[in-house]
PDB file of all heavy atoms in Angstrom:
ATOM      1  N   LEU E   1    -157.185  20.736 139.171  1.00  0.00           N
ATOM      2  CA  LEU E   1    -156.310  19.988 138.345  1.00  0.00           C
ATOM      3  C   LEU E   1    -156.237  18.629 138.884  1.00  0.00           C
ATOM      4  O   LEU E   1    -155.801  18.311 140.027  1.00  0.00           O
ATOM      5  CB  LEU E   1    -154.885  20.683 138.226  1.00  0.00           C
ATOM      6  CG  LEU E   1    -153.938  20.249 137.265  1.00  0.00           C
ATOM      7  CD1 LEU E   1    -154.553  20.291 135.751  1.00  0.00           C
ATOM      8  CD2 LEU E   1    -152.643  21.056 137.337  1.00  0.00           C
ATOM      9  N   ARG E   2    -156.379  17.537 138.059  1.00  0.00           N
ATOM     10  CA  ARG E   2    -156.222  16.178 138.340  1.00  0.00           C
ATOM     11  C   ARG E   2    -155.056  15.559 137.633  1.00  0.00           C
ATOM     12  O   ARG E   2    -155.195  15.429 136.305  1.00  0.00           O
ATOM     13  CB  ARG E   2    -157.480  15.415 138.208  1.00  0.00           C
ATOM     14  CG  ARG E   2    -158.628  15.832 139.046  1.00  0.00           C
ATOM     15  CD  ARG E   2    -159.799  14.929 138.783  1.00  0.00           C
ATOM     16  NE  ARG E   2    -160.943  15.274 139.573  1.00  0.00           N
ATOM     17  CZ  ARG E   2    -161.119  15.071 140.867  1.00  0.00           C
ATOM     18  NH1 ARG E   2    -160.276  14.464 141.621  1.00  0.00           N
ATOM     19  NH2 ARG E   2    -162.222  15.488 141.413  1.00  0.00           N
ATOM     20  N   ILE E   3    -154.025  15.453 138.182  1.00  0.00           N
ATOM     21  CA  ILE E   3    -152.862  14.802 137.594  1.00  0.00           C
ATOM     22  C   ILE E   3    -152.263  13.685 138.449  1.00  0.00           C
ATOM     23  O   ILE E   3    -152.478  13.688 139.715  1.00  0.00           O
ATOM     24  CB  ILE E   3    -151.784  15.756 137.094  1.00  0.00           C
ATOM     25  CG1 ILE E   3    -151.230  16.494 138.325  1.00  0.00           C
ATOM     26  CG2 ILE E   3    -152.312  16.705 136.112  1.00  0.00           C
ATOM     27  CD1 ILE E   3    -150.077  17.459 138.160  1.00  0.00           C
ATOM     28  N   GLN E   4    -151.480  12.852 137.944  1.00  0.00           N
ATOM     29  CA  GLN E   4    -150.786  11.768 138.803  1.00  0.00           C
ATOM     30  C   GLN E   4    -149.753  12.492 139.556  1.00  0.00           C
ATOM     31  O   GLN E   4    -148.960  13.346 139.040  1.00  0.00           O
ATOM     32  CB  GLN E   4    -150.162  10.732 137.817  1.00  0.00           C
ATOM     33  CG  GLN E   4    -151.210   9.941 137.111  1.00  0.00           C
ATOM     34  CD  GLN E   4    -151.988   9.012 137.902  1.00  0.00           C
ATOM     35  OE1 GLN E   4    -151.544   8.466 138.854  1.00  0.00           O
ATOM     36  NE2 GLN E   4    -153.170   8.836 137.735  1.00  0.00           N
ATOM     37  N   ARG E   5    -149.589  12.095 140.874  1.00  0.00           N
ATOM     38  CA  ARG E   5    -148.551  12.680 141.669  1.00  0.00           C
ATOM     39  C   ARG E   5    -147.196  12.352 141.063  1.00  0.00           C
ATOM     40  O   ARG E   5    -146.156  13.228 141.242  1.00  0.00           O
ATOM     41  CB  ARG E   5    -148.720  12.116 143.113  1.00  0.00           C
ATOM     42  CG  ARG E   5    -149.984  12.528 143.887  1.00  0.00           C
ATOM     43  CD  ARG E   5    -150.025  13.914 144.193  1.00  0.00           C
ATOM     44  NE  ARG E   5    -150.984  14.183 145.286  1.00  0.00           N
ATOM     45  CZ  ARG E   5    -152.227  14.617 144.950  1.00  0.00           C
ATOM     46  NH1 ARG E   5    -152.628  14.714 143.744  1.00  0.00           N
ATOM     47  NH2 ARG E   5    -153.074  14.802 145.914  1.00  0.00           N
ATOM     48  N   SER E   6    -147.003  11.285 140.458  1.00  0.00           N
ATOM     49  CA  SER E   6    -145.705  10.955 139.831  1.00  0.00           C
ATOM     50  C   SER E   6    -145.229  11.939 138.788  1.00  0.00           C
ATOM     51  O   SER E   6    -144.086  12.018 138.457  1.00  0.00           O
ATOM     52  CB  SER E   6    -145.741   9.600 139.284  1.00  0.00           C
ATOM     53  OG  SER E   6    -146.650   9.493 138.304  1.00  0.00           O
ATOM     54  N   GLU E   7    -146.098  12.708 138.213  1.00  0.00           N
ATOM     55  CA  GLU E   7    -145.819  13.717 137.297  1.00  0.00           C
ATOM     56  C   GLU E   7    -145.285  14.917 138.005  1.00  0.00           C
ATOM     57  O   GLU E   7    -144.752  15.775 137.281  1.00  0.00           O
ATOM     58  CB  GLU E   7    -147.070  14.200 136.530  1.00  0.00           C
ATOM     59  CG  GLU E   7    -147.593  13.076 135.708  1.00  0.00           C
ATOM     60  CD  GLU E   7    -148.801  13.476 134.855  1.00  0.00           C
ATOM     61  OE1 GLU E   7    -148.662  14.585 134.089  1.00  0.00           O
ATOM     62  OE2 GLU E   7    -149.896  12.875 134.927  1.00  0.00           O
ATOM     63  N   LEU E   8    -145.219  15.017 139.301  1.00  0.00           N
ATOM     64  CA  LEU E   8    -144.698  16.182 140.057  1.00  0.00           C
ATOM     65  C   LEU E   8    -143.347  15.917 140.564  1.00  0.00           C
ATOM     66  O   LEU E   8    -142.852  16.777 141.372  1.00  0.00           O
ATOM     67  CB  LEU E   8    -145.771  16.563 141.187  1.00  0.00           C
ATOM     68  CG  LEU E   8    -147.181  16.907 140.704  1.00  0.00           C
ATOM     69  CD1 LEU E   8    -148.013  17.005 141.902  1.00  0.00           C
ATOM     70  CD2 LEU E   8    -147.072  18.053 139.678  1.00  0.00           C
ATOM     71  N   PHE E   9    -142.705  14.800 140.294  1.00  0.00           N
ATOM     72  CA  PHE E   9    -141.357  14.460 140.894  1.00  0.00           C
ATOM     73  C   PHE E   9    -140.261  15.260 140.193  1.00  0.00           C
ATOM     74  O   PHE E   9    -139.080  15.398 140.820  1.00  0.00           O
ATOM     75  CB  PHE E   9    -141.087  12.881 140.668  1.00  0.00           C
ATOM     76  CG  PHE E   9    -141.927  12.157 141.546  1.00  0.00           C
ATOM     77  CD1 PHE E   9    -142.375  10.922 141.036  1.00  0.00           C
ATOM     78  CD2 PHE E   9    -142.246  12.671 142.830  1.00  0.00           C
ATOM     79  CE1 PHE E   9    -143.215  10.074 142.026  1.00  0.00           C
ATOM     80  CE2 PHE E   9    -143.014  11.654 143.815  1.00  0.00           C
ATOM     81  CZ  PHE E   9    -143.470  10.558 143.291  1.00  0.00           C
ATOM     82  N   GLY E  10    -140.409  15.945 139.120  1.00  0.00           N
ATOM     83  CA  GLY E  10    -139.248  16.478 138.396  1.00  0.00           C
ATOM     84  C   GLY E  10    -138.846  17.835 138.975  1.00  0.00           C
ATOM     85  O   GLY E  10    -137.660  18.146 138.947  1.00  0.00           O
ATOM     86  N   PRO E  11    -139.790  18.759 139.209  1.00  0.00           N
ATOM     87  CA  PRO E  11    -139.321  20.111 139.654  1.00  0.00           C
ATOM     88  C   PRO E  11    -138.523  20.087 140.906  1.00  0.00           C
ATOM     89  O   PRO E  11    -138.660  19.427 141.862  1.00  0.00           O
ATOM     90  CB  PRO E  11    -140.730  20.777 140.013  1.00  0.00           C
ATOM     91  CG  PRO E  11    -141.621  20.005 139.304  1.00  0.00           C
ATOM     92  CD  PRO E  11    -141.248  18.701 139.306  1.00  0.00           C
ATOM     93  N   GLN E  12    -137.373  20.942 140.884  1.00  0.00           N
ATOM     94  CA  GLN E  12    -136.487  20.907 141.879  1.00  0.00           C
ATOM     95  C   GLN E  12    -136.746  22.245 142.813  1.00  0.00           C
ATOM     96  O   GLN E  12    -136.116  22.335 143.894  1.00  0.00           O
ATOM     97  CB  GLN E  12    -135.063  21.225 141.286  1.00  0.00           C
ATOM     98  CG  GLN E  12    -134.543  20.064 140.399  1.00  0.00           C
ATOM     99  CD  GLN E  12    -134.409  18.776 141.273  1.00  0.00           C
ATOM    100  OE1 GLN E  12    -133.817  18.731 142.302  1.00  0.00           O
ATOM    101  NE2 GLN E  12    -135.093  17.753 140.767  1.00  0.00           N
ATOM    102  N   ASN E  13    -137.517  23.073 142.434  1.00  0.00           N
ATOM    103  CA  ASN E  13    -137.852  24.284 143.239  1.00  0.00           C
ATOM    104  C   ASN E  13    -139.288  24.611 143.071  1.00  0.00           C
ATOM    105  O   ASN E  13    -139.937  24.167 142.157  1.00  0.00           O
ATOM    106  CB  ASN E  13    -136.878  25.372 143.134  1.00  0.00           C
ATOM    107  CG  ASN E  13    -136.814  25.870 141.682  1.00  0.00           C
ATOM    108  OD1 ASN E  13    -137.834  26.052 141.073  1.00  0.00           O
ATOM    109  ND2 ASN E  13    -135.602  26.028 141.224  1.00  0.00           N
ATOM    110  N   ILE E  14    -139.900  25.630 143.743  1.00  0.00           N
ATOM    111  CA  ILE E  14    -141.241  26.122 143.819  1.00  0.00           C
ATOM    112  C   ILE E  14    -141.453  26.762 142.431  1.00  0.00           C
ATOM    113  O   ILE E  14    -142.534  26.459 141.798  1.00  0.00           O
ATOM    114  CB  ILE E  14    -141.462  27.065 144.879  1.00  0.00           C
ATOM    115  CG1 ILE E  14    -141.406  26.399 146.230  1.00  0.00           C
ATOM    116  CG2 ILE E  14    -142.882  27.643 144.831  1.00  0.00           C
ATOM    117  CD1 ILE E  14    -141.484  27.287 147.476  1.00  0.00           C
ATOM    118  N   GLY E  15    -140.543  27.397 141.893  1.00  0.00           N
ATOM    119  CA  GLY E  15    -140.798  28.084 140.459  1.00  0.00           C
ATOM    120  C   GLY E  15    -140.906  26.989 139.469  1.00  0.00           C
ATOM    121  O   GLY E  15    -141.740  27.178 138.638  1.00  0.00           O
ATOM    122  N   GLU E  16    -140.145  26.016 139.426  1.00  0.00           N
ATOM    123  CA  GLU E  16    -140.212  24.885 138.568  1.00  0.00           C
ATOM    124  C   GLU E  16    -141.669  24.233 138.681  1.00  0.00           C
ATOM    125  O   GLU E  16    -142.202  23.808 137.627  1.00  0.00           O
ATOM    126  CB  GLU E  16    -139.271  23.777 138.634  1.00  0.00           C
ATOM    127  CG  GLU E  16    -137.811  24.459 138.109  1.00  0.00           C
ATOM    128  CD  GLU E  16    -136.620  23.523 138.243  1.00  0.00           C
ATOM    129  OE1 GLU E  16    -136.868  22.312 138.665  1.00  0.00           O
ATOM    130  OE2 GLU E  16    -135.570  24.000 138.119  1.00  0.00           O
ATOM    131  N   LEU E  17    -142.123  23.952 139.940  1.00  0.00           N
ATOM    132  CA  LEU E  17    -143.350  23.366 140.125  1.00  0.00           C
ATOM    133  C   LEU E  17    -144.525  24.256 139.665  1.00  0.00           C
ATOM    134  O   LEU E  17    -145.387  23.675 138.989  1.00  0.00           O
ATOM    135  CB  LEU E  17    -143.580  23.182 141.726  1.00  0.00           C
ATOM    136  CG  LEU E  17    -144.967  22.618 142.095  1.00  0.00           C
ATOM    137  CD1 LEU E  17    -145.179  21.244 141.441  1.00  0.00           C
ATOM    138  CD2 LEU E  17    -145.039  22.542 143.603  1.00  0.00           C
ATOM    139  N   ALA E  18    -144.363  25.594 139.760  1.00  0.00           N
ATOM    140  CA  ALA E  18    -145.332  26.521 139.263  1.00  0.00           C
ATOM    141  C   ALA E  18    -145.418  26.355 137.725  1.00  0.00           C
ATOM    142  O   ALA E  18    -146.453  26.385 137.048  1.00  0.00           O
ATOM    143  CB  ALA E  18    -145.116  27.949 139.736  1.00  0.00           C
ATOM    144  N   ASP E  19    -144.262  26.363 137.047  1.00  0.00           N
ATOM    145  CA  ASP E  19    -144.191  26.376 135.679  1.00  0.00           C
ATOM    146  C   ASP E  19    -144.792  24.916 135.258  1.00  0.00           C
ATOM    147  O   ASP E  19    -145.558  24.857 134.181  1.00  0.00           O
ATOM    148  CB  ASP E  19    -142.691  26.408 135.305  1.00  0.00           C
ATOM    149  CG  ASP E  19    -142.105  27.712 135.490  1.00  0.00           C
ATOM    150  OD1 ASP E  19    -142.918  28.762 135.695  1.00  0.00           O
ATOM    151  OD2 ASP E  19    -140.919  27.848 135.412  1.00  0.00           O
ATOM    152  N   LEU E  20    -144.582  23.841 135.875  1.00  0.00           N
ATOM    153  CA  LEU E  20    -145.121  22.590 135.528  1.00  0.00           C
ATOM    154  C   LEU E  20    -146.532  22.558 135.578  1.00  0.00           C
ATOM    155  O   LEU E  20    -147.196  22.098 134.636  1.00  0.00           O
ATOM    156  CB  LEU E  20    -144.498  21.402 136.363  1.00  0.00           C
ATOM    157  CG  LEU E  20    -145.146  20.032 136.055  1.00  0.00           C
ATOM    158  CD1 LEU E  20    -144.712  19.409 134.700  1.00  0.00           C
ATOM    159  CD2 LEU E  20    -144.728  19.151 137.224  1.00  0.00           C
ATOM    160  N   LEU E  21    -147.130  23.039 136.657  1.00  0.00           N
ATOM    161  CA  LEU E  21    -148.527  23.087 136.818  1.00  0.00           C
ATOM    162  C   LEU E  21    -149.109  23.980 135.779  1.00  0.00           C
ATOM    163  O   LEU E  21    -150.338  23.667 135.371  1.00  0.00           O
ATOM    164  CB  LEU E  21    -148.872  23.541 138.351  1.00  0.00           C
ATOM    165  CG  LEU E  21    -148.520  22.482 139.413  1.00  0.00           C
ATOM    166  CD1 LEU E  21    -148.751  23.095 140.797  1.00  0.00           C
ATOM    167  CD2 LEU E  21    -149.186  21.144 139.174  1.00  0.00           C
ATOM    168  N   ASN E  22    -148.583  25.076 135.391  1.00  0.00           N
ATOM    169  CA  ASN E  22    -149.076  26.052 134.511  1.00  0.00           C
ATOM    170  C   ASN E  22    -149.133  25.248 133.141  1.00  0.00           C
ATOM    171  O   ASN E  22    -150.134  25.448 132.363  1.00  0.00           O
ATOM    172  CB  ASN E  22    -148.223  27.130 134.358  1.00  0.00           C
ATOM    173  CG  ASN E  22    -148.718  28.160 133.500  1.00  0.00           C
ATOM    174  OD1 ASN E  22    -149.960  28.472 133.462  1.00  0.00           O
ATOM    175  ND2 ASN E  22    -147.861  28.744 132.578  1.00  0.00           N
ATOM    176  N   ALA E  23    -148.172  24.443 132.881  1.00  0.00           N
ATOM    177  CA  ALA E  23    -148.103  23.655 131.560  1.00  0.00           C
ATOM    178  C   ALA E  23    -149.313  22.599 131.577  1.00  0.00           C
ATOM    179  O   ALA E  23    -149.949  22.425 130.627  1.00  0.00           O
ATOM    180  CB  ALA E  23    -146.778  23.064 131.365  1.00  0.00           C
ATOM    181  N   LYS E  24    -149.466  21.962 132.722  1.00  0.00           N
ATOM    182  CA  LYS E  24    -150.478  20.999 132.823  1.00  0.00           C
ATOM    183  C   LYS E  24    -151.825  21.467 132.691  1.00  0.00           C
ATOM    184  O   LYS E  24    -152.759  21.034 132.132  1.00  0.00           O
ATOM    185  CB  LYS E  24    -150.383  20.211 134.252  1.00  0.00           C
ATOM    186  CG  LYS E  24    -149.150  19.433 134.357  1.00  0.00           C
ATOM    187  CD  LYS E  24    -149.137  18.255 133.383  1.00  0.00           C
ATOM    188  CE  LYS E  24    -147.809  17.420 133.536  1.00  0.00           C
ATOM    189  NZ  LYS E  24    -147.962  16.304 132.548  1.00  0.00           N
ATOM    190  N   LEU E  25    -152.054  22.843 133.228  1.00  0.00           N
ATOM    191  CA  LEU E  25    -153.248  23.552 133.103  1.00  0.00           C
ATOM    192  C   LEU E  25    -153.515  23.850 131.592  1.00  0.00           C
ATOM    193  O   LEU E  25    -154.793  23.780 131.111  1.00  0.00           O
ATOM    194  CB  LEU E  25    -153.437  24.779 133.888  1.00  0.00           C
ATOM    195  CG  LEU E  25    -153.652  24.756 135.297  1.00  0.00           C
ATOM    196  CD1 LEU E  25    -153.464  26.124 135.931  1.00  0.00           C
ATOM    197  CD2 LEU E  25    -155.114  24.176 135.516  1.00  0.00           C
ATOM    198  N   GLY E  26    -152.562  24.093 130.883  1.00  0.00           N
ATOM    199  CA  GLY E  26    -152.766  24.427 129.548  1.00  0.00           C
ATOM    200  C   GLY E  26    -153.132  23.141 128.630  1.00  0.00           C
ATOM    201  O   GLY E  26    -153.638  23.246 127.480  1.00  0.00           O
ATOM    202  N   GLN E  27    -152.775  22.096 129.119  1.00  0.00           N
ATOM    203  CA  GLN E  27    -153.087  20.748 128.420  1.00  0.00           C
ATOM    204  C   GLN E  27    -154.449  20.251 128.716  1.00  0.00           C
ATOM    205  O   GLN E  27    -154.947  19.450 127.983  1.00  0.00           O
ATOM    206  CB  GLN E  27    -152.095  19.698 128.964  1.00  0.00           C
ATOM    207  CG  GLN E  27    -150.608  20.057 128.474  1.00  0.00           C
ATOM    208  CD  GLN E  27    -149.736  18.852 129.059  1.00  0.00           C
ATOM    209  OE1 GLN E  27    -150.055  17.930 129.741  1.00  0.00           O
ATOM    210  NE2 GLN E  27    -148.519  19.050 128.722  1.00  0.00           N
TER     211      GLN E  27
END
């Protein structure tokens, strides 16, 4: 997965990070 690191600043915990990456994979 290639995304800007700045897109990863939102998640507050590991679960939110996993959810964000899952959404990015879907895109």
Side-chain angles (χ1 to χ4, degrees):
L1 186 60
R2 295 190 186 278
I3 58 173
Q4 296 291 325
R5 298 288 196 264
S6 61
E7 295 182 55
L8 301 175
F9 290 141
Q12 299 297 308
N13 57 47
I14 297 172
E16 289 178 11
L17 176 60
D19 293 342
L20 174 73
L21 293 173
N22 187 45
K24 294 294 180 182
L25 276 174
Q27 293 174 3

